Amino acid sequence: MSLFTYASEESISAGESTFRTVGGYGCIACHGLYGQGGGNVGGNIRGSSLNDLKYSLEHEQTMKLLGDVLSEQDKINLADYMEYLGTFQLVDWMYEGIKGGLLSVSIDSGKNSQLVVLNKTFEPMLIDLSPLSGKHLTLRVDPYETQHFEWLPEKGVYELSFGDEAISINVK
Ligand code: HEC
């Protein structure tokens, strides 16, 4: 056996499904659909380990209830999913329709990245992703929905905008 075992796709996708459904509301209720936080009480847990999870299931008042319904295998799968999310650089855009809102983020080139957009308004968002993808691509995010887009960034400054807000992504 090798010293390091890599999470299988099955384990990651089983973890993702538990992350969205456990207890009826899922981990997503407090940690966001992609573990990014999304302004919820639990915050960002991308890249968290099995030990982090076990510790919080025992000590975090709001998570204790879930401890009983998760098998050891469920916890391993959840940890694999959180670690998988942690392999992406996160560009987190929580859209609240703030006038003149400009968000700036800095990431490294050549590393897998994930844009996560949470639409906290009542109008659907249509975001032109061509600056990131190099081809015509629109991301639709319905009211109170979260959507994502993965890409491998190259050096440069990229701006995405919708309505009253813009996000400037500085790739170093
Ligand atoms: C009812 C809300 C709630 C739910 C549901 C919930 N959590 Fe949490 N979680 C929290 C809070 C609150 C914290 C503590 C955050 C802090 O201290 O900043 C936390 C902490 C954590 C941590 C520790 C983060 C760290 O910094 O080490 C992990 C890992 C975690 N949660 C994973 C999960 C997973 C996986 C699930 C689903 C099985 C889940 N949580 C469900 C509220 C929740």
mmCIF file of all heavy atoms in Angstrom, residues 129-148:
data_model
loop_
_atom_site.group_PDB
_atom_site.id
_atom_site.type_symbol
_atom_site.label_atom_id
_atom_site.label_comp_id
_atom_site.label_asym_id
_atom_site.label_seq_id
_atom_site.Cartn_x
_atom_site.Cartn_y
_atom_site.Cartn_z
ATOM 1 N N LEU A 129 -19.140 34.909 -19.459
ATOM 2 C CA LEU A 129 -17.887 34.312 -18.978
ATOM 3 C C LEU A 129 -16.789 34.304 -20.037
ATOM 4 O O LEU A 129 -15.720 33.739 -19.806
ATOM 5 C CB LEU A 129 -18.132 32.864 -18.534
ATOM 6 C CG LEU A 129 -18.951 32.636 -17.267
ATOM 7 C CD1 LEU A 129 -19.035 31.145 -16.983
ATOM 8 C CD2 LEU A 129 -18.335 33.366 -16.071
ATOM 9 N N SER A 130 -17.045 34.930 -21.178
ATOM 10 C CA SER A 130 -16.031 34.856 -22.242
ATOM 11 C C SER A 130 -14.649 35.371 -21.834
ATOM 12 O O SER A 130 -13.649 34.831 -22.308
ATOM 13 C CB SER A 130 -16.525 35.491 -23.534
ATOM 14 O OG SER A 130 -17.089 36.741 -23.295
ATOM 15 N N PRO A 131 -14.542 36.384 -20.922
ATOM 16 C CA PRO A 131 -13.181 36.781 -20.510
ATOM 17 C C PRO A 131 -12.400 35.606 -19.896
ATOM 18 O O PRO A 131 -11.182 35.524 -20.057
ATOM 19 C CB PRO A 131 -13.426 37.867 -19.450
ATOM 20 C CG PRO A 131 -14.781 38.414 -19.757
ATOM 21 C CD PRO A 131 -15.568 37.247 -20.300
ATOM 22 N N LEU A 132 -13.072 34.707 -19.207
ATOM 23 C CA LEU A 132 -12.376 33.584 -18.568
ATOM 24 C C LEU A 132 -12.234 32.391 -19.493
ATOM 25 O O LEU A 132 -11.225 31.683 -19.468
ATOM 26 C CB LEU A 132 -13.133 33.113 -17.304
ATOM 27 C CG LEU A 132 -13.396 34.135 -16.208
ATOM 28 C CD1 LEU A 132 -14.019 33.448 -15.006
ATOM 29 C CD2 LEU A 132 -12.108 34.840 -15.808
ATOM 30 N N SER A 133 -13.261 32.144 -20.290
ATOM 31 C CA SER A 133 -13.283 30.900 -21.058
ATOM 32 C C SER A 133 -12.696 31.054 -22.452
ATOM 33 O O SER A 133 -12.379 30.061 -23.093
ATOM 34 C CB SER A 133 -14.709 30.379 -21.162
ATOM 35 O OG SER A 133 -15.459 31.259 -21.971
ATOM 36 N N GLY A 134 -12.552 32.307 -22.920
ATOM 37 C CA GLY A 134 -12.019 32.525 -24.252
ATOM 38 C C GLY A 134 -13.034 32.237 -25.342
ATOM 39 O O GLY A 134 -12.758 32.423 -26.518
ATOM 40 N N LYS A 135 -14.178 31.744 -24.961
ATOM 41 C CA LYS A 135 -15.232 31.549 -25.964
ATOM 42 C C LYS A 135 -16.548 32.050 -25.406
ATOM 43 O O LYS A 135 -16.653 32.349 -24.222
ATOM 44 C CB LYS A 135 -15.334 30.074 -26.373
ATOM 45 C CG LYS A 135 -15.445 29.123 -25.203
ATOM 46 C CD LYS A 135 -15.593 27.688 -25.705
ATOM 47 C CE LYS A 135 -15.902 26.755 -24.555
ATOM 48 N NZ LYS A 135 -14.745 26.068 -24.025
ATOM 49 N N HIS A 136 -17.535 32.142 -26.279
ATOM 50 C CA HIS A 136 -18.796 32.692 -25.813
ATOM 51 C C HIS A 136 -19.479 31.734 -24.852
ATOM 52 O O HIS A 136 -19.752 30.595 -25.193
ATOM 53 C CB HIS A 136 -19.711 33.016 -26.988
ATOM 54 C CG HIS A 136 -20.887 33.817 -26.549
ATOM 55 N ND1 HIS A 136 -20.791 35.133 -26.190
ATOM 56 C CD2 HIS A 136 -22.164 33.457 -26.316
ATOM 57 C CE1 HIS A 136 -21.972 35.563 -25.790
ATOM 58 N NE2 HIS A 136 -22.822 34.572 -25.847
ATOM 59 N N LEU A 137 -19.710 32.200 -23.651
ATOM 60 C CA LEU A 137 -20.301 31.342 -22.632
ATOM 61 C C LEU A 137 -21.018 32.233 -21.623
ATOM 62 O O LEU A 137 -20.465 33.224 -21.157
ATOM 63 C CB LEU A 137 -19.175 30.576 -21.934
ATOM 64 C CG LEU A 137 -19.538 29.357 -21.103
ATOM 65 C CD1 LEU A 137 -20.125 28.268 -21.990
ATOM 66 C CD2 LEU A 137 -18.271 28.809 -20.433
ATOM 67 N N THR A 138 -22.248 31.880 -21.324
ATOM 68 C CA THR A 138 -23.018 32.659 -20.357
ATOM 69 C C THR A 138 -23.404 31.779 -19.191
ATOM 70 O O THR A 138 -23.840 30.645 -19.377
ATOM 71 C CB THR A 138 -24.303 33.222 -21.021
ATOM 72 O OG1 THR A 138 -23.917 33.991 -22.151
ATOM 73 C CG2 THR A 138 -25.070 34.110 -20.057
ATOM 74 N N LEU A 139 -23.202 32.304 -18.002
ATOM 75 C CA LEU A 139 -23.591 31.566 -16.800
ATOM 76 C C LEU A 139 -24.897 32.169 -16.290
ATOM 77 O O LEU A 139 -24.981 33.364 -16.047
ATOM 78 C CB LEU A 139 -22.503 31.697 -15.729
ATOM 79 C CG LEU A 139 -22.691 30.882 -14.447
ATOM 80 C CD1 LEU A 139 -22.498 29.392 -14.725
ATOM 81 C CD2 LEU A 139 -21.685 31.323 -13.377
ATOM 82 N N ARG A 140 -25.911 31.319 -16.150
ATOM 83 C CA ARG A 140 -27.184 31.804 -15.639
ATOM 84 C C ARG A 140 -27.316 31.398 -14.171
ATOM 85 O O ARG A 140 -27.134 30.239 -13.807
ATOM 86 C CB ARG A 140 -28.335 31.196 -16.442
ATOM 87 C CG ARG A 140 -29.680 31.729 -16.010
ATOM 88 C CD ARG A 140 -30.836 30.969 -16.649
ATOM 89 N NE ARG A 140 -32.074 31.378 -15.978
ATOM 90 C CZ ARG A 140 -32.911 32.281 -16.453
ATOM 91 N NH1 ARG A 140 -32.671 32.854 -17.605
ATOM 92 N NH2 ARG A 140 -34.001 32.613 -15.767
ATOM 93 N N VAL A 141 -27.609 32.372 -13.331
ATOM 94 C CA VAL A 141 -27.801 32.095 -11.907
ATOM 95 C C VAL A 141 -29.151 32.651 -11.495
ATOM 96 O O VAL A 141 -29.352 33.859 -11.436
ATOM 97 C CB VAL A 141 -26.687 32.735 -11.040
ATOM 98 C CG1 VAL A 141 -26.715 32.142 -9.630
ATOM 99 C CG2 VAL A 141 -25.309 32.562 -11.663
ATOM 100 N N ASP A 142 -30.067 31.760 -11.210
ATOM 101 C CA ASP A 142 -31.415 32.185 -10.839
ATOM 102 C C ASP A 142 -31.421 32.753 -9.413
ATOM 103 O O ASP A 142 -30.480 32.543 -8.654
ATOM 104 C CB ASP A 142 -32.396 31.011 -10.989
ATOM 105 C CG ASP A 142 -32.775 30.790 -12.446
ATOM 106 O OD1 ASP A 142 -32.873 31.798 -13.182
ATOM 107 O OD2 ASP A 142 -32.943 29.625 -12.857
ATOM 108 N N PRO A 143 -32.495 33.470 -9.054
ATOM 109 C CA PRO A 143 -32.551 34.057 -7.708
ATOM 110 C C PRO A 143 -32.304 33.020 -6.606
ATOM 111 O O PRO A 143 -32.879 31.931 -6.632
ATOM 112 C CB PRO A 143 -33.982 34.599 -7.640
ATOM 113 C CG PRO A 143 -34.310 34.936 -9.064
ATOM 114 C CD PRO A 143 -33.641 33.868 -9.880
ATOM 115 N N TYR A 144 -31.432 33.358 -5.704
ATOM 116 C CA TYR A 144 -31.065 32.511 -4.559
ATOM 117 C C TYR A 144 -30.498 31.156 -4.943
ATOM 118 O O TYR A 144 -30.514 30.201 -4.172
ATOM 119 C CB TYR A 144 -32.219 32.419 -3.544
ATOM 120 C CG TYR A 144 -32.260 33.714 -2.775
ATOM 121 C CD1 TYR A 144 -32.919 34.824 -3.282
ATOM 122 C CD2 TYR A 144 -31.520 33.855 -1.603
ATOM 123 C CE1 TYR A 144 -32.863 36.050 -2.643
ATOM 124 C CE2 TYR A 144 -31.458 35.072 -0.955
ATOM 125 C CZ TYR A 144 -32.133 36.165 -1.476
ATOM 126 O OH TYR A 144 -32.059 37.361 -0.847
ATOM 127 N N GLU A 145 -29.915 31.100 -6.143
ATOM 128 C CA GLU A 145 -29.266 29.893 -6.594
ATOM 129 C C GLU A 145 -27.752 30.126 -6.572
ATOM 130 O O GLU A 145 -27.297 31.268 -6.589
ATOM 131 C CB GLU A 145 -29.748 29.606 -8.026
ATOM 132 C CG GLU A 145 -29.346 28.260 -8.562
ATOM 133 C CD GLU A 145 -29.699 28.119 -10.042
ATOM 134 O OE1 GLU A 145 -29.293 28.982 -10.837
ATOM 135 O OE2 GLU A 145 -30.357 27.134 -10.378
ATOM 136 N N THR A 146 -27.007 29.041 -6.521
ATOM 137 C CA THR A 146 -25.547 29.124 -6.594
ATOM 138 C C THR A 146 -25.088 28.362 -7.833
ATOM 139 O O THR A 146 -25.570 27.259 -8.082
ATOM 140 C CB THR A 146 -24.911 28.475 -5.348
ATOM 141 O OG1 THR A 146 -25.451 29.067 -4.174
ATOM 142 C CG2 THR A 146 -23.398 28.676 -5.327
ATOM 143 N N GLN A 147 -24.208 28.965 -8.619
ATOM 144 C CA GLN A 147 -23.656 28.286 -9.789
ATOM 145 C C GLN A 147 -22.141 28.365 -9.757
ATOM 146 O O GLN A 147 -21.564 29.163 -9.025
ATOM 147 C CB GLN A 147 -24.178 28.936 -11.078
ATOM 148 C CG GLN A 147 -25.630 28.595 -11.414
ATOM 149 C CD GLN A 147 -25.827 27.126 -11.771
ATOM 150 O OE1 GLN A 147 -24.862 26.386 -11.999
ATOM 151 N NE2 GLN A 147 -27.081 26.690 -11.810
ATOM 152 N N HIS A 148 -21.505 27.526 -10.557
ATOM 153 C CA HIS A 148 -20.040 27.488 -10.546
ATOM 154 C C HIS A 148 -19.475 27.353 -11.951
ATOM 155 O O HIS A 148 -20.168 26.931 -12.875
ATOM 156 C CB HIS A 148 -19.564 26.299 -9.707
ATOM 157 C CG HIS A 148 -19.904 24.980 -10.340
ATOM 158 N ND1 HIS A 148 -18.957 24.114 -10.813
ATOM 159 C CD2 HIS A 148 -21.096 24.419 -10.617
ATOM 160 C CE1 HIS A 148 -19.548 23.064 -11.342
ATOM 161 N NE2 HIS A 148 -20.851 23.215 -11.233
#
